[in-house]
Amino acid sequence: MPTPSRGQVTASVFEKVAGAGPEDNVFTSQALLYLLKRGKGFRALDGGRLIEEDIEYAENTTFRSYSDLETLDTTRIDVFDAARFDWKEVGGTIVYSNLEKLRAQGSSAKFDLIAAKVNNGKNSMMAVLNRMFYTDGTGNGGKDMGGLALLISSTPTTGTVGGINRATFTFWRNRQNSGDKGAGTAYSNLRGAMRTTYNQCSKGAMDEQPEWVVTNATDFAGYESTLVSNERFMKQDKSGKVDGGFRNDMLQFKGADVTFDEDCPAATMYIGNSRNLKFNYPRGGWAKAFPPVDPANQTAEVVKIATVGNLSVNNPRRLGVVTAIS
C-alpha cells in the first residue's frame, strides 16, 4: 500500500490564487517594434511579388547657364530606380490538448488557459520579430528578415541592400560615426557622435530630422549620465517630494525620443525615422491566427500564427548608427 506523503495541509486547504493570470517574466519591451508601429513605419501593402521602394538617386545634369539661342542639352538623364526586398515569413504553433481544456474549465480554472496560451504565442512572435529586426538577415539560412545590422550598417560602404551595391553607389549609404571615448572619460564622446549623426541624417537644418534614437540599456544609462550637468530638481506636488532623475519616456535628443531596447546590440545606437525605414506586410499578413486544426491521431488542437513581411529602406542617408560606444 502506498505511503501517504502529501501532508495534511495540502490535503485539507485549497491554494489561494493571487492575481488575474500569469505574470510576464519573459518578454522584453520590444521598443523597436513599438517605434515602427507608432508612426508611419508600419505599412500594409496589397501583396505583390516583392517589396519595391522607388528612389530618386541623381540630379538632371543638363541644367546649366546658357546665352540667348544657345542649344540646350537634350540628353535624357536617368534619375529614378528602385530597391527591392523579398517577403519573409515568421510563424509558430500553439498546441493544447483536450485534457488541458477539460481540466481548466469552470470554477476549476485559475485563468483562461487557452486565451493565455494564444496571448503567449502572439507575444512570442513579437519577441522573435523584434530580435530579428536588429540582425543582418543571414540567420536561419537567409530566411530571417533583414534588420538594422543590414539596413543601417556599421560598415555602410560595403554590402548590397535592396539590390543596390553600397560600395558602388555612395547615395545608398547610411550614416555611421564612432562613440568611442578615446582618451576621455566614459561616454564623453557619445553626445558629440549623436549630434554629428543626427545632423547628417537631417535634410538641412529645418527639414526631415530623425524621430527616434534607440540603444541598449547600458548606453541609454550612459546617455542619461551625460545630462546630469543640465539637471534641475523640482517639486512634483504639494507633498514636497523632489524627483532626482528623469522619467525614461521623457528623454529626448534634439526633439527625437531616446529609448532603450533590451534586444539592441551592445555599444550601438540607432538614429532613424518612419519616413525612410518601413516594416511592410501584405494585408492580412500581420500576426494572422489560423483556425484551430484537430489532428487525426491526437485529442488536441493546433493554432498557427504567422506574419509575412520585411523591413525596407528608401533613403539610407536619413538613417544612422553610432558604434563602438564606450
Side-chain angles (χ1 to χ4, degrees):
M1 178 177 178
T3 303
S5 60
R6 296 296 182 186
Q8 179 171 292
V9 174
T10 301
S12 60
V13 181
F14 285 114
E15 291 86 354
K16 178 63 177 177
V17 179
E23 183 64 26
D24 175 13
N25 280 250
V26 179
F27 299 107
T28 62
S29 63
Q30 300 161 22
L32 179 55
L33 181 60
Y34 166 77
L35 290 171
L36 290 170
K37 290 179 69 175
R38 75 169 187 179
K40 297 180 180 179
F42 225 62
R43 183 168 62 183
L45 303 176
D46 291 328
R49 184 174 68 85
L50 42 70
I51 304 159
E52 186 171 277
E53 293 279 9
D54 295 326
I55 61 173
E56 184 175 4
Y57 71 93
E59 292 184 8
N60 183 333
T61 55
T62 65
F63 286 87
R64 60 180 174 82
S65 60
Y66 74 101
S67 62
D68 199 17
L69 296 179
E70 182 180 351
T71 302
L72 295 177
D73 186 350
T74 58
T75 303
R76 185 175 65 186
I77 307 299
D78 290 339
V79 296
F80 304 119
D81 210 312
R84 291 178 168 179
F85 303 85
D86 294 324
W87 294 113
K88 298 297 181 74
E89 298 176 274
V90 174
T93 60
I94 302 160
V95 180
Y96 48 88
S97 70
N98 185 54
L99 177 59
E100 284 181 292
K101 288 178 63 177
L102 293 176
R103 287 190 306 200
Q105 63 178 328
S107 60
S108 296
K110 295 180 179 179
F111 54 87
D112 190 329
L113 175 64
I114 307 307
K117 275 200 165 192
V118 171
N119 188 58
N120 173 272
K122 290 181 177 179
N123 287 335
S124 297
M125 171 177 284
M126 299 304 112
V128 169
L129 285 170
N130 196 74
R131 289 193 293 268
M132 201 176 292
F133 285 173
Y134 287 102
T135 68
D136 62 3
T138 60
N140 195 19
K143 289 182 281 189
D144 282 359
M145 297 180 186
L148 301 192
L150 171 69
L151 305 178
I152 313 179
S153 174
S154 298
T155 55
T157 61
T158 62
T160 299
V161 174
I164 301 175
N165 190 334
R166 291 186 297 217
T168 304
F169 298 100
T170 59
F171 75 87
W172 201 238
R173 297 173 185 173
N174 61 267
R175 312 299 189 173
Q176 180 270 327
N177 292 285
S178 173
D180 191 331
K181 70 180 187 311
T185 58
Y187 301 107
S188 59
N189 187 44
L190 177 57
R191 289 175 68 187
M194 292 171 67
R195 183 163 49 246
T196 298
T197 308
Y198 181 101
N199 291 343
Q200 290 175 338
C201 291
S202 302
K203 187 177 182 180
M206 301 181 65
D207 194 18
E208 296 188 13
Q209 284 89 20
E211 299 170 353
W212 48 260
V213 178
V214 64
T215 187
N216 55 83
T218 299
D219 295 324
F220 177 86
Y223 168 68
E224 186 176 11
S225 72
T226 68
L227 306 179
V228 171
S229 59
N230 298 327
E231 190 173 56
R232 182 173 64 172
F233 296 99
M234 297 182 66
K235 291 183 178 180
Q236 296 299 300
D237 51 40
K238 294 181 180 179
S239 67
K241 294 179 180 178
V242 174
D243 195 336
F246 304 106
R247 284 176 50 183
N248 288 350
D249 62 352
M250 296 178 69
L251 289 183
Q252 291 189 323
F253 182 78
K254 290 192 169 189
D257 292 335
V258 182
T259 188
F260 71 86
D261 190 327
E262 297 89 336
D263 296 326
C264 185
T268 307
M269 176 181 285
Y270 292 101
I271 299 176
N273 68 79
S274 61
R275 292 183 308 274
N276 306 124
L277 177 68
K278 306 283 188 181
F279 176 75
N280 313 272
Y281 63 96
R283 298 187 191 281
W286 170 251
K288 180 179 179 180
F290 292 79
V293 175
D294 185 3
N297 59 348
Q298 291 179 304
T299 56
E301 290 183 337
V302 180
V303 175
K304 300 186 292 269
I305 300 181
T307 287
V308 177
N310 205 356
L311 290 165
S312 67
V313 292
N314 56 32
N315 191 346
R317 295 183 306 163
R318 301 285 174 254
L319 306 168
V321 58
V322 178
T323 59
I325 299 172
S326 62

